[in-house]
Amino acid sequence: MTNYSNLLKRDRDYVWHPYSSINSKQAVFPVKSASGVRITLSDGRVLIDGMSSWWSAIHGYNHPIMNQAISTQLHDMSHIMFGGLTHQPAIDLAELLVTITPKPLKKVFFVDSGSVAVEVAMKMAIQYWYAKKQPEKQKMLTIQYGYHGDTFGAMSVSDPVNGMHSLFSNTLTQQFFADAPLCKFNQPCTESDISPLQSQLENNHQEIAALILEPIVQGAGGMRFYSADYLKQLRQLCDQYNVLLILDEIATGFGRTGKLFACEHAEIAPDILCVGKALTGGYMTLAATLTTQHIAKTISNGEPGIFMHGPTFMANPLACSAGLASLKLLLNSPWKNRISLIEQHLTTGLAPCTDFPQVKEVRILGAIGVVELHKAINMEIIQPQFVEAGVWVRPFNRLIYLMPPYIIDKDDITILTHAVTHIISNIKD
Ligand SMILES: *Cc1c(COP(=O)(O)O)cnc(C)c1O
């Protein structure tokens, strides 16, 4: 048995993959290594990465500066508890995050994953109102097609249909949902776009602690891009109805949409911000929830006087040093220019898809290119075709999308867009 088929067999025997059945006939592909934008499979095939490992590997893989940062930190300490102790990687990273995120955000709470950053954000909002003697404000308001993670709190504010709320109906908190806006990016937002949210606020603000949503780009819930104008308007509505605004920038943060943070498209600041995914350049699992001095102080001055959260691996030093190295690498790079070039090349490269009858819409924003089909993709057939074409693209449902590492060059983008265009053109009904 070759090493490759041996790995595949043992994977089938012992391992459960994300959102999958153990009976699945879908192939998985053993990876030996990855470097730059290239992923090398255990059988020697090389794929160009179109996914950045789910929005995270923005500098590509095996980056010498990232490797060095982690290896240096490893020799000091890989982990130390964060209760009662602190360390320079966490302090440096927190300071830098406060510097680059919208001005009002002043305090950083580190966690291990995006889902937990969302849990923490919701707990902050609830504790804030509790401290303000408004304990009846415990619910969240959100919009359709969102995705905020897989833990129970995060699921409760993710799209009810995509998130299979019916399956968990007895355990999932019932939150308030408003129809998602139809105004696309760069379009004005009309009365009919904002009114569903406005009426939820009007009717239920006494129970609502916070509005939570992904700014500009809704990721795993449908890869939808919406108007900055909508964000501007909802910021005002939150203030008007005494509801906190939580922005989940776990997917959109760190340049992906062409701004460092997507909320900059609307020139607004949230009360609470979640970041994750690209925070460590895809090297380690780390996320953070940021909030204002006012919210942090209110929680700390009220009952019970502390914030009720503290993960074992909070602010892991290896992860924090990876985060710091990744952010410096990003900020010292011509990232704006790179994203705008990727945007141009994705736009030209995916343009032919617009003409295919299988295709409903092609949309590009920053370093994100989405081709939405009319029908769900048969992954058993399509996934191996992408691998055969020498690219790593992982579609879901009706969506084939590209979000390559920022370091990708024009020729490699062209290989990605050619593969997408060619494979879609061959999809039979
Ligand atoms: C991926 C994602 C999450 C969840 O992050 P995990 O690290 O997978 O827990 C939350 N919100 C958004 C917008 C995401 O894209």
Side-chain angles (χ1 to χ4, degrees):
M1 206 189 291
T2 64
N3 182 45
Y4 191 84
S5 53
N6 178 264
L7 286 171
L8 275 183
K9 181 188 178 302
R10 288 192 293 133
D11 182 274
R12 259 196 310 276
D13 286 347
Y14 301 117
V15 185
W16 207 332
H17 284 266
Y19 280 97
S20 70
S21 157
I22 63 156
N23 302 323
S24 174
K25 297 276 189 302
Q26 273 185 42
V28 294
F29 301 88
V31 175
K32 173 143 192 309
S33 64
S35 185
V37 300
R38 283 172 165 71
I39 300 169
T40 302
L41 300 183
S42 301
D43 63 0
R45 283 181 289 176
V46 175
L47 311 178
I48 292 172
D49 179 30
M51 300 301 296
S52 301
S53 284
W54 282 334
W55 314 85
S56 67
I58 55 177
H59 312 296
Y61 303 88
N62 219 345
H63 195 291
I65 293 175
M66 293 294 302
N67 292 0
Q68 184 59 54
I70 290 174
S71 128
T72 303
Q73 181 56 43
L74 182 61
H75 291 94
D76 284 339
M77 65 188 158
S78 67
H79 184 64
I80 194 80
M81 66 184 279
F82 211 53
L85 298 175
T86 193
H87 48 79
Q88 190 165 351
I91 298 165
D92 287 349
L93 179 58
E95 183 178 36
L96 186 53
L97 281 171
V98 166
T99 312
I100 64 172
T101 50
K103 251 211 174 87
L105 303 167
K106 295 287 185 216
K107 283 280 182 290
V108 181
F109 194 95
F110 288 113
V111 291
D112 319 325
S113 74
S115 301
V116 179
V118 168
E119 301 284 334
V120 163
M122 300 200 302
K123 285 169 80 169
M124 275 182 187
I126 291 168
Q127 274 204 241
Y128 171 79
W129 292 112
Y130 189 89
K132 301 252 293 180
K133 306 251 181 310
Q134 287 179 262
E136 64 289 350
K137 284 167 84 75
Q138 298 236 336
K139 295 268 187 174
M140 300 293 141
L141 168 62
T142 187
I143 60 174
Q144 277 178 329
Y145 307 117
Y147 177 76
H148 298 284
D150 292 344
T151 51
F152 277 99
M155 274 170 66
S156 77
V157 288
S158 297
D159 187 80
V161 178
N162 293 326
M164 291 283 295
H165 280 208
S166 52
L167 175 59
F168 303 101
S169 57
N170 285 335
T171 28
L172 221 49
T173 309
Q174 294 281 321
Q175 312 284 18
F176 294 107
F177 282 82
D179 288 345
L182 296 175
C183 45
K184 297 182 177 173
F185 188 73
N186 265 339
Q187 285 182 353
C189 161
T190 64
E191 179 66 35
S192 65
D193 293 307
I194 197 78
S195 67
L197 199 67
Q198 179 154 20
S199 44
Q200 284 286 15
L201 284 166
E202 217 167 272
N203 298 332
N204 303 305
H205 65 95
Q206 271 122 347
E207 288 177 65
I208 298 174
L211 164 61
I212 177 168
L213 77 173
E214 300 150 276
I216 306 294
V217 175
Q218 294 185 289
M223 300 297 288
R224 300 170 85 254
F225 307 159
Y226 66 81
S227 164
D229 202 19
Y230 180 76
L231 266 189
K232 260 198 191 111
Q233 295 192 31
L234 67 81
R235 172 71 271 188
Q236 283 174 358
L237 288 173
C238 283
D239 291 340
Q240 185 185 334
Y241 288 101
N242 267 321
V243 162
L244 298 180
L245 175 60
I246 302 171
L247 290 184
D248 178 349
E249 294 241 17
I250 291 165
T252 52
F254 308 111
R256 183 59 68 178
T257 69
K259 301 276 188 192
L260 200 52
F261 295 96
C263 62
E264 293 170 23
H265 288 286
E267 298 170 314
I268 60 149
D271 302 295
I272 300 174
L273 175 74
C274 301
V275 295
K277 289 199 163 104
L279 174 58
T280 64
Y283 263 70
M284 313 272 301
T285 177
L286 182 71
T289 307
L290 285 83
T291 193
T292 62
Q293 189 69 17
H294 169 67
I295 292 174
K297 264 245 163 354
T298 306
I299 291 171
S300 304
N301 292 344
E303 285 295 321
I306 54 168
F307 180 56
M308 296 295 290
H309 206 93
T312 306
F313 288 99
M314 185 168 180
N316 172 259
L318 277 182
C320 287
S321 53
L324 192 62
S326 172
L327 276 182
K328 285 184 180 166
L329 204 53
L330 177 68
L331 297 169
N332 292 328
S333 74
W335 62 271
K336 268 199 174 151
N337 200 27
R338 283 181 177 164
I339 303 287
S340 111
L341 284 172
I342 294 172
E343 184 172 37
Q344 282 172 34
H345 299 319
L346 287 175
T347 306
T348 13
L350 294 176
C353 295
T354 333
D355 298 329
F356 302 149
Q358 301 90 326
V359 171
K360 185 172 174 215
E361 191 181 53
V362 177
R363 41 187 189 266
I364 320 285
L365 178 63
I368 313 166
V370 181
V371 183
E372 180 170 350
L373 307 186
H374 289 291
K375 289 191 181 159
I377 289 141
N378 183 337
M379 287 287 280
E380 258 178 63
I381 296 173
I382 294 295
Q383 187 71 87
Q385 290 182 357
F386 277 114
V387 172
E388 281 306 303
V391 300
W392 181 243
V393 178
R394 177 83 178 155
F396 69 87
N397 203 347
R398 292 181 288 113
L399 300 161
I400 297 178
Y401 58 102
L402 297 173
M403 39 197 200
Y406 300 169
I407 56 155
I408 195 166
D409 67 21
K410 180 172 189 283
D411 292 346
D412 288 341
I413 298 175
T414 304
I415 295 172
L416 287 172
T417 54
H418 270 174
V420 168
T421 311
H422 180 70
I423 287 166
I424 292 177
S425 73
N426 283 336
I427 292 179
K428 304 278 184 302
D429 280 339

